[in-house]
């Protein structure tokens, strides 16, 4: 089943570029108020850019493509070429788009900023006035609104501003007016944060930005110098990103993802398993745990078909045997109760209702293996009933519950890509698996049912459902009070796929959802924002991997270690081009 | 005026013939999402079985356990006559063509002879949003 994140960013490249264009318009607003006759000239330059871009895109893609980035190019170009004849501006912006963008392969593939290339070309052959950076309060809104764009290339933007500040110190020219005068904030935030032409690398970005800022400030008043220095920086970034060392691939801390369920919504439980036993609400009796030998426990687990309930569905007895065989002196047992996927609620529900059984399952594991440390890992936001095991609170982010990430958080041990935790003496079991261990060993019950979360993402409600393995997913959804819509199923809200006829609840399914289809528009325009790389918890070069997969170059994609991918879906969630990048990385992994 | 209502998609299902995994993927995906977000189950078909990252794409009608009675065709018109016979034989009663580039007068005539009801309109005019609906309004799609 092809999976993807049901949660998507509301932003897209087109929206970002529209926002940039809005900021440019805000910047020009004071001059339009003073000289309304300049508005038609601006509109003519923008129209010329849109026309040029549309025609070239139509030739390239054979379908209409949003041209708002061309409007931004026109805006930057217009501001930086004051006092130039209109026909020169129109011809200049068209030539800039052709030579600075489309000759390189179109949007997202150009190594240099097309507007600045056009400015430099005109500045070298024609006399050109310096742009108007006269300090005035009416310019403040545009400056303030430009600040959020720093997020795209923070190191380059910060370097640019630091370079300008250093130059001001050198020139003994202080005061807030000078910042405005030289447009430091504005150009630092807009041009030096262009993800297409500026590298995301911290050192290169900061150093290059500082150089560009210092040169621009020291030779103030010359647009040509500023454009030239930024273009040199663009070329260095292009070469560095193409040829320098790849990202390290170390695990990074993830980021919180908003839950899909309204926080105050009541959680209802539905038992669709047709089992006669009822889930005890607030069990008071202690679950009796007779003494079992290791062999008895493992035999019962195998006989009753207990597998990992977190989604991997690996045979639990086999995993325990690996831990027993491990030559490590100290052995560890981590009960994974983190439930980091933003769509899941059933593990928390189970802990609230069946902690006695879970604790009994933990005791059984302790009878089986002499663990040095036993820890139950829960989110820092979760409070659990007292149980006779240590509790480790982990930060609330996604994917804190990924096996190796959890080991790092709880034990402080970094395992490399090829390492299997069980072979290192570390047993990590999902909390529902521990519950299933209790049922299989003490009650001698086959693991034919499981608890899952069924969510209605249209109404932000969710239910905990106990269902039989093998149950038809559509039939399960039909039995619940859900709004009509598409049905998705998978490991969680971040790893879901379309449900087709005859799809059943198997050991990998933890989550069923009714939702609108997430907005994967699969745009041809990647802006190289790098959010996919930044949000990958494994630090993979997702953008490069997906690029090579699309080109059919799987061998090259393999160099970026797609086998380390956790399939968490974070890259798909944040992609501004609306691409399902996780599926591309999976293709590289399988290829 | 072209009238397309939910009854056109009997049982809330449609067979999407010509779902593209290539350069037209964004458009195909947009149509797919528009259908599904309006409660219409889509079976995507492409005989080259190019596939997609998110959606199951069937390679032939034979792979489908149940063939919907309505089809949406996103093919070049020269490729349409070749599939009409099979569609008629598999019980397709209604066909929505994307545009006149998918169906000319001879194709519509051939459909009429087989007793297949036809409509020529982009699904986004009915199920899309914003400018697509406006386009539909001016195109007379109701």
């Amino acid at each position: 089943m092809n999976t993807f994140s049901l949660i998507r960013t509301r932003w897209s490249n087109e929206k970002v570029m529209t926002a940039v264009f809005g900021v440019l318009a805000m910047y020009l607003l004071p001059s339009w108020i003073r000289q309304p006759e300049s508005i038609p000239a601006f509109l003519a330059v923008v129209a010329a850019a849109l026309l040029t871009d549309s025609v070239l895109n139509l030739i390239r893609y054979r379908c209409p493509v949003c041209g708002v980035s061309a409007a931004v190019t026109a805006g930057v170009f217009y501001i930086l070429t004051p006092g130039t004849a209109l026909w020169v501006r129109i011809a200049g912006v068209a030539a800039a788009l052709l030579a600075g963008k489309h000759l390189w392969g179109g949007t997202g593939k150009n190594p240099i900023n097309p507007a600045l290339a056009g400015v430099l070309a005109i500045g070298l052959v024609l006399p050109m006035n310096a742009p108007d950076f006269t300090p005035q309060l009416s310019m403040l809104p545009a400056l303030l609104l430009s600040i959020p764009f720093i997020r795209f290339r923070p190191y380059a933007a910060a370097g640019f501003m630091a370079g300008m500040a250093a130059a001001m110190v050198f020139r003994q020219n202080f005061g807030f007016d000078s910042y405005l005068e030289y447009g430091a904030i504005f150009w630092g935030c807009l041009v030096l944060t262009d993800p297409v032409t500026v590298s995301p690398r911290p050192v290169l970005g900061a150093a290059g930005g500082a150089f560009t800022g210092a040169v621009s400030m020291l030779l103030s008043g010359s647009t040509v110098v500023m454009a030239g220095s930024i273009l040199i920086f663009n070329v260095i970034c292009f070469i560095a990103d193409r040829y320098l060392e790849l990202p390290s691939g170390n695990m990074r801390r993830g980021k919180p993802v908003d839950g899909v369920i309204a926080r105050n919504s009541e959680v209802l439980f539905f038992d669709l398993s047709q089992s006669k036993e009822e889930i005890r609400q607030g069990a008071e009796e202690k679950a009796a745990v007779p003494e079992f030998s290791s062999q008895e426990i493992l035999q019962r687990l195998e006989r009753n078909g207990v597998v990992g309930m977190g989604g991997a569905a690996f045979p639990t007895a086999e995993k325990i045997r690996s831990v027993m065989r491990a030559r490590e002196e100290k052995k560890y047992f981590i009960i994974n109760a983190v439930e980091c996927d933003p769509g899941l609620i059933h593990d928390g529900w189970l802990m609230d209702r069946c902690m006695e059984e879970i604790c009994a399952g933990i005791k059984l594991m302790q009878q089986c293996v002499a663990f040095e440390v036993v820890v139950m890992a829960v989110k820092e936001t979760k409070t659990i009933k007292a149980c006779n095991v240590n509790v480790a609170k982990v930060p609330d982010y996604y994917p804190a519950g990924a096996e190796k990430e959890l080991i790092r958080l709880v034990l402080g041990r970094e395992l490399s890509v090829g390492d299997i935790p069980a072979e290192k003496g570390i047993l990590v079991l999902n909390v529902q698996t521990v519950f299933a261990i209790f049922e299989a060993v003490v009650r001698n019950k086959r693991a034919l049912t499981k608890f899952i979360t069924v969510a209605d993402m249209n109404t932000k409600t969710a239910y905990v459902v106990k269902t039989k393995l093998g149950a038809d997913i559509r039939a399960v959804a039909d039995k619940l009070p859900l709004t009509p819509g598409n049905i998705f199923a998978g490991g969680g809200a971040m790893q879901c796929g379309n449900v087709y006829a005859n799809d059943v609840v198997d050991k990998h399914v933890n989550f069923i959802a009714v939702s609108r289809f997430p907005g994967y528009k699969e745009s041809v325009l990647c802006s190289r924002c790098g959010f996919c790389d930044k949000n990958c918890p494994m630090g993979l070069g997702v953008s490069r991997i997906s690029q090579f997969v699309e080109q059919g170059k799987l061998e090259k994609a393999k160099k970026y270690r797609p086998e380390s991918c956790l399939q968490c879906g974070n890259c798909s969630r944040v992609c501004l081009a609306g691409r399902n990048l996780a599926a591309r990385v999976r293709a590289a992994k399988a290829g | 005026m072209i009238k397309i209502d939910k009854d056109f998609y009997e049982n809330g299902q449609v067979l999407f013939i010509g779902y593209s995994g290539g350069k037209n993927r964004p458009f195909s995906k947009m149509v797919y999402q528009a259908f599904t977000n309006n409660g219409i189950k889509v079976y995507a078909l492409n005989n080259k079985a190019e596939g997609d990252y998110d959606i199951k794409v069937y390679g032939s009608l034979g792979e489908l356990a149940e063939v919907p009675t309505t089809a949406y065709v996103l093919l070049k018109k020269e490729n349409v006559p070749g599939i009409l016979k099979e569609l008629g034989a598999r019980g397709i009663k209604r066909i929505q063509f994307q545009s006149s580039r998918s169906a000319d007068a001879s194709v519509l005539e051939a459909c009429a002879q087989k007793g297949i009801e036809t409509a020529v309109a982009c699904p986004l005019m009915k199920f899309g949003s914003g400018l697509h609906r406006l386009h539909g309004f001016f195109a007379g799609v109701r």
Side-chain angles (χ1 to χ4, degrees), chain A residues 5 41 91 219 225 339 366 380 510 524 546 568:
Chain A
S5 168
L219 301 169
V225 171
E339 203 170 45
Q366 287 174 303
E380 60 190 0
N510 279 322
V524 291
S546 59
C568 67

Side-chain angles (χ1 to χ4, degrees), chain B:
Chain B
M1 182 183 292
I2 305 158
K3 281 187 181 175
I4 303 172
D5 53 28
K6 290 266 171 99
D7 292 340
F8 193 84
Y9 309 97
E10 197 178 354
N11 300 328
Q13 295 184 336
V14 66
L15 179 67
F16 185 156
I17 300 171
Y19 184 94
S20 174
K23 69 179 174 64
N24 281 331
R25 184 194 298 152
F27 181 74
S28 295
K29 179 66 69 63
M30 209 188 297
V31 171
Y32 183 97
Q33 290 176 5
F35 273 132
T36 53
N37 287 336
N38 282 277
I40 297 167
K41 178 76 190 161
V42 182
Y43 295 90
L45 188 79
N46 184 330
N47 63 0
K48 290 175 189 164
E50 290 175 82
D52 198 341
Y53 293 111
D54 318 327
I55 294 161
K56 186 170 182 178
V57 181
Y58 297 91
S60 70
L61 285 172
E63 291 177 27
L64 289 164
E66 178 194 2
V67 179
T69 53
T70 303
Y72 159 65
V73 175
L74 180 61
L75 295 175
K76 289 179 184 169
K77 61 187 169 194
E78 52 268 30
N79 296 330
V80 174
I83 61 160
L84 278 184
K85 191 177 173 186
E86 189 181 0
L87 291 181
R90 296 299 295 257
I92 296 287
K93 295 177 188 165
R94 285 169 288 276
I95 299 180
Q96 178 179 1
F97 293 99
Q98 165 65 25
S99 67
S100 55
R101 281 186 289 180
S102 293
D104 56 15
S106 63
V107 168
L108 297 179
E109 178 61 31
C111 289
Q113 284 174 3
K114 292 178 192 299
I116 297 173
E117 188 185 340
T118 55
V120 183
C122 171
L124 297 177
M125 292 179 181
K126 176 77 181 169
F127 300 117
S129 58
L131 288 174
H132 297 291
R133 293 295 271 267
L134 191 66
H135 184 196
F137 176 78
F138 287 115
V141 175
R142 301 286 185 272

Side-chain angles (χ1 to χ4, degrees), chain A residues 110-134:
Chain A
N110 47 305
I112 52 169
N113 187 304
L116 294 181
V119 169
L120 183 66
I122 289 178
L124 289 174
V125 293
L126 293 173
M128 203 164 63
N129 297 337
D132 181 15
F133 292 128
T134 314

Side-chain angles (χ1 to χ4, degrees), chain A residues 189-208:
Chain A
C189 293
L190 285 191
V191 178
L192 265 290
T193 55
D194 174 14
V196 177
T197 56
V198 176
S199 173
R201 293 164 192 272
V203 175
L204 175 64

